[in-house]
Amino acid sequence: MVGGGYLGIEFASIYRAFGSQVTMFVRAASLLGREDDDIAAVAESILAGDGIEIVTGAHVTQVRDGESGATVIYDKDGQQHSVEVDAILAATGRVLATRDLGLDAAGVRTTVAGEIEADEHLRTSQPHIYAVGDVKGEAQFTTYLSLDDSRIVLDQLTGEGRRTTTDRVVVPRTLFMTPPLATVGMTEREARQAGHRVKIASQPVAEIVAMPRAYAVEETRGVMKFVIDAETDEILGAALLSIDAQEIINTVALAMRHGIKAAELRDAVYTHPSSTEAFNDILASILRADEP
């Protein structure tokens, strides 16, 4: 696996679950550099615990095809290394496929990188032409943003024309490893850099008593973390590395969009046994938190 982004990690998890021996070559010094170090460390330990070999700081310089496999040549710590593999999946990112669309002839402006310029209503430099999805250069793993793009255009064509991209706030995302890592809002690092005085609620899933579903499905790996504004009790962000994280992060995002405080999420009544019950336990820990 050449690349350690979302796709690289997801497909590494998939093929390892199929029984393949998987090696990930990651150019960065660590995985998931956007996340807080504690969350990234747990995620990396889960992947390594599943038997995925993670080679960080690796710059792949060459791939040599053979009759029954290939050889990967990479530099690490100033030295050249090689490894024999059966197959290679390149997951180093994608580039926009807009250059052959004849956009210049249509009068549609693009950036130097080939991104189509569009306003908050998704109108391009030609008002009757709209741009939706990845062609605008947005994060390319967010299929649901493309879906929302279609709603904005539909509102322009058949509605009141009020819906815009600025309406999209607190958008969650999920890395589908096993268990999944779902995040929304600010990390602890980002919140502190923004000047917030924060309290942190964080617990390993295995220690969250009020989350019986994790034990029922025998998946207690992971951690849950909430970043709370110490003065307002506002939920600034969350990172959920747990069973069902891809679902329960939507509840957190909805609460954040509507100004529901951490205490309200903590004190709500949830169905049993479910993963959302974890809120009763983990958010109670902010009462004990003592963050500067």
Side-chain angles (χ1 to χ4, degrees):
M1 196 70 58
V2 181
Y6 271 41
L7 287 178
I9 293 173
E10 288 174 349
F11 276 91
S13 299
I14 290 169
Y15 279 105
R16 184 68 191 112
F18 288 162
S20 300
Q21 298 297 317
V22 178
T23 300
M24 293 182 63
F25 299 102
V26 184
R27 189 164 186 174
S30 61
L31 287 180
L32 301 170
R34 184 192 179 284
E35 307 303 331
D36 286 326
D37 292 343
D38 51 349
I39 299 299
V42 175
E44 187 167 344
S45 69
I46 288 174
L47 294 168
D50 282 340
I52 298 172
E53 182 181 0
I54 304 170
V55 185
T56 56
H59 178 203
V60 175
T61 59
Q62 188 178 2
V63 172
R64 298 174 184 166
D65 289 326
E67 292 184 2
S68 59
T71 302
V72 177
I73 311 296
Y74 66 97
D75 293 334
K76 178 177 171 63
D77 298 328
Q79 296 184 341
Q80 188 177 83
H81 305 266
S82 66
V83 61
E84 301 291 328
V85 300
D86 296 314
I88 298 171
L89 178 61
T92 56
R94 292 174 286 177
V95 295
L96 294 166
T98 58
R99 299 197 181 278
D100 297 327
L101 296 180
L103 298 175
D104 289 341
V108 175
R109 285 198 304 267
T110 61
T111 67
V112 174
E115 301 166 357
I116 296 178
E117 296 181 0
D119 64 14
E120 69 273 16
H121 297 288
L122 303 181
R123 293 182 184 272
T124 68
S125 53
Q126 293 292 337
H128 65 291
I129 299 177
Y130 295 85
V132 299
D134 296 350
V135 293
K136 305 190 305 300
E138 293 180 321
Q140 295 182 5
F141 56 83
T142 46
T143 304
Y144 40 93
L145 289 186
S146 297
L147 171 62
D148 193 59
D149 282 353
S150 71
R151 298 187 184 120
I152 294 172
V153 174
L154 184 63
D155 186 44
Q156 289 293 309
L157 299 177
T158 65
E160 297 180 353
R162 296 181 179 179
R163 192 165 189 149
T164 73
T165 55
T166 60
D167 298 328
R168 293 199 291 238
V169 293
V170 194
V171 177
R173 57 191 175 274
T174 300
L175 166 63
F176 283 95
M177 55 183 285
T178 303
L181 168 61
T183 58
V184 67
M186 296 181 178
T187 62
E188 177 183 352
R189 179 174 59 248
E190 290 169 340
R192 293 189 186 281
Q193 289 174 347
H196 293 278
R197 190 170 67 87
V198 301
K199 289 187 176 181
I200 304 300
S202 180
Q203 282 184 273
V205 171
E207 297 178 9
I208 302 177
V209 177
M211 192 177 176
R213 174 162 162 72
Y215 293 91
V217 300
E218 299 181 343
E219 181 54 276
T220 59
R221 298 178 298 174
V223 62
M224 287 188 171
K225 179 178 182 178
F226 282 79
V227 182
I228 313 296
D229 188 290
E231 298 176 357
T232 66
D233 199 38
E234 176 187 3
I235 303 170
L236 300 176
L240 311 179
L241 176 54
S242 70
I243 185 71
D244 297 333
Q246 79 281 2
E247 299 292 348
I248 56 181
I249 197 67
N250 293 316
T251 299
V252 179
L254 185 65
M256 292 172 65
R257 281 194 292 271
H258 292 276
I260 294 174
K261 306 299 184 181
E264 295 179 74
L265 204 61
R266 177 197 67 210
D267 296 337
V269 178
Y270 303 102
T271 56
H272 175 85
S274 68
S275 293
T276 45
E277 286 182 284
F279 297 157
N280 295 145
D281 197 340
I282 185 172
L283 287 173
S285 69
I286 67 172
L287 300 178
R288 303 186 296 273
D290 186 21
E291 295 293 329

